[in-house]
Amino acid sequence: GFIVTPTPAFGTLDAPSEEATMAARKAFAAFETRNLPEAETQFSTAIAAWRQLDAGIYPTKRAELNDLLIARARVCVDSKRFVPALADLDEAIGSMALDGKRPDGRAAYFEFADAYVQRGLAHEGLAGRPEQRPAEISADSEWQRAVEDYDEALSLWGPGGKG
């Protein structure tokens, strides 16, 4: 006979559920209208769903997860919540490092360079927010990290910003 397996709440192993897709749409709409708490909640729901997908087998889903992480990080930066923004950006950059650079060193896609810009903004934010920064990390160190990320973004975009 058949073995019936239930469909996961987050969708199948290769596609998010309609609810997860709707959460992503709602998140982007909330961000566009500057409803940052709602945007973060909806991005978190969508990210949880995309994490359930096998990103190693379905690279498009990995790219979509990275887009969601970068978008939630933007919400966090705009909300002046820099530590969670850095966590999302570090994860996205780490994932995109697999295929984010062309042989000439430029970005293979815009999101890779943009993630460095966003992470630079988060480091800038931490430089000015000692209450969010770990005690052992100075403001100067955060500024230096921001500059390094901006430099990397410029390098990825290449001459004339054409990336």
Side-chain angles (χ1 to χ4, degrees):
F2 291 102
I3 296 177
V4 178
T5 57
T7 301
F10 291 123
T12 65
L13 290 179
D14 65 345
S17 68
E18 183 57 38
E19 294 82 15
T21 302
M22 185 56 67
R25 287 186 192 124
K26 287 180 181 177
F28 283 107
F31 184 61
E32 195 170 298
T33 62
R34 309 303 296 157
N35 183 347
L36 300 179
E38 178 65 13
E40 186 172 357
T41 297
Q42 294 297 333
F43 277 126
S44 295
T45 298
I47 287 167
W50 260 261
R51 287 188 195 287
Q52 300 297 314
L53 304 175
D54 188 348
I57 295 173
Y58 303 103
T60 300
K61 302 307 177 208
R62 180 174 59 88
E64 291 169 2
L65 174 60
N66 291 335
D67 289 345
L68 292 168
L69 288 166
I70 293 167
R72 183 171 69 180
R74 282 189 174 134
V75 170
C76 290
V77 166
D78 287 358
S79 300
K80 309 290 187 234
R81 296 180 57 251
F82 303 109
V83 173
L86 283 175
D88 282 350
L89 292 163
D90 286 346
E91 181 180 346
I93 288 170
S95 174
M96 290 186 286
L98 300 170
D99 62 358
K101 279 189 184 180
R102 296 185 222 172
D104 66 3
R106 293 184 304 149
Y109 40 88
F110 170 82
E111 293 81 5
F112 192 44
D114 184 53
Y116 279 98
V117 171
Q118 296 305 316
R119 194 169 72 175
L121 289 171
H123 283 299
E124 272 192 58
L126 279 177
R129 299 270 178 160
E131 72 279 5
Q132 290 186 37
R133 210 173 46 242
E136 67 276 5
I137 299 177
S138 69
D140 286 345
S141 175
E142 289 296 347
W143 280 112
Q144 184 58 42
R145 290 176 180 175
V147 168
E148 289 168 5
D149 281 341
Y150 295 142
D151 283 346
E152 181 64 17
L154 288 169
S155 172
L156 289 167
W157 278 322
K162 297 182 181 177

